[in-house]
């Protein structure tokens, strides 16, 4: 890992989802303090911005969140430089622990890369890490902008998964 920090990069359409909404979810759903005093860069709380507007909004919302929570937020806010994809062994790490479900899900996609970049794989990786319920994921499928045929295939396959 060296001087790398685990992050995600979010590409979004500001006409559909605002940066403020993303930052609100960010600060409500992550630990802004290093767990157990761990000081390494790998798991630090980090927010990267791409422009001055994002920088201002990040600092503003950081301050607001800190005031509301009465906790010192230790999230570093830095300019974006470079994003590296994690090694294959780290991609969808938690979901891979459920080999039967993982293998079944792979059959739905034209390639392993398509699977790794899918909303379904991301959500189920979060689900097995106890973020949400299967019922929530099942409901969300309708909002992913898929064709009726794709939606039905996902729901049928999803219902048959063996965890």
């Amino acid at each position: 890992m060296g001087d790398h920090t685990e992050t995600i990069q979010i590409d979004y359409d500001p006409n559909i989802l605002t940066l403020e909404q993303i930052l609100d979810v960010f600060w409500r759903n992550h630990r802004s303090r290093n767990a157990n005093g761990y000081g390494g860069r790998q798991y630090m709380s980090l927010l990267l911005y791409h422009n001055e507007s994002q920088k201002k909004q990040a600092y503003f919302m950081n301050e607001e969140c800190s005031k509301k929570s009465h906790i010192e937020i230790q999230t570093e806010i830095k300019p974006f430089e470079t994003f590296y994809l994690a090694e294959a062994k780290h991609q969808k790490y938690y979901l891979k622990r459920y080999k039967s479900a993982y293998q079944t899900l792979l059959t739905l996609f034209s390639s392993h890369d398509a699977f790794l970049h899918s909303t379904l794989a991301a959500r189920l990786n979060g689900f097995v890490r106890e973020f949400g319920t299967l019922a929530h994921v099942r409901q969300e499928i309708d909002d992913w902008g898929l064709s009726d045929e794709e939606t039905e295939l996902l729901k049928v396959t999803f219902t048959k998964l063996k965890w």
Side-chain angles (χ1 to χ4, degrees), residues 2-150:
D3 65 348
H4 291 77
T5 302
E6 289 186 13
T7 62
I8 62 168
Q9 180 166 289
I10 299 173
D11 297 317
Y12 69 100
D13 180 342
N15 295 314
I16 297 172
L17 185 67
T18 67
L19 179 60
E20 183 176 351
Q21 290 170 308
I22 293 169
L23 292 173
D24 181 57
V25 170
F26 174 77
W27 268 297
R28 282 188 298 115
N29 293 285
H30 92 287
R31 293 184 189 112
S32 65
R33 300 171 69 84
N34 287 333
N36 302 320
Y38 178 72
R41 294 204 59 81
Q42 183 178 0
Y43 300 115
M44 67 182 283
S45 177
L46 175 67
L47 177 65
L48 303 171
Y49 58 86
H50 287 266
N51 56 47
E52 199 61 30
S53 174
Q54 289 180 352
K55 177 183 177 180
K56 287 178 184 175
Q57 190 143 26
Y59 275 105
F60 173 77
M61 290 190 71
N62 181 359
E63 195 64 35
E64 291 297 305
C65 184
S66 185
K67 287 177 188 174
K68 286 180 187 175
S69 66
H70 305 290
I71 295 173
E72 176 195 357
I73 294 178
Q74 296 176 343
T75 300
E76 281 191 36
I77 300 173
K78 301 278 188 193
F80 172 85
E81 292 176 12
T82 305
F83 184 82
Y84 300 99
L85 286 178
E87 297 171 304
K89 68 181 180 181
H90 295 295
Q91 296 288 339
K92 307 305 179 262
Y93 178 79
Y94 295 105
L95 184 55
K96 287 178 182 176
R97 293 178 174 185
Y98 297 87
K99 292 190 186 319
S100 176
Y102 180 74
Q103 293 302 320
T104 300
L105 292 166
L106 284 174
T107 66
L108 298 174
F109 296 88
S110 59
S111 69
H112 190 260
D113 197 51
F115 167 75
L116 287 177
H117 291 91
S118 72
T119 300
L120 179 65
R123 274 306 280 123
L124 291 177
N125 194 61
F127 158 73
V128 297
R129 196 62 181 112
E130 299 180 1
F131 293 103
T133 65
L134 286 176
H136 288 126
V137 177
R138 198 174 289 115
Q139 285 177 303
E140 291 172 12
I141 291 173
D142 290 325
D143 298 327
W144 292 349
L146 304 172
S147 69
D148 290 343
E149 183 180 308
E150 291 170 321

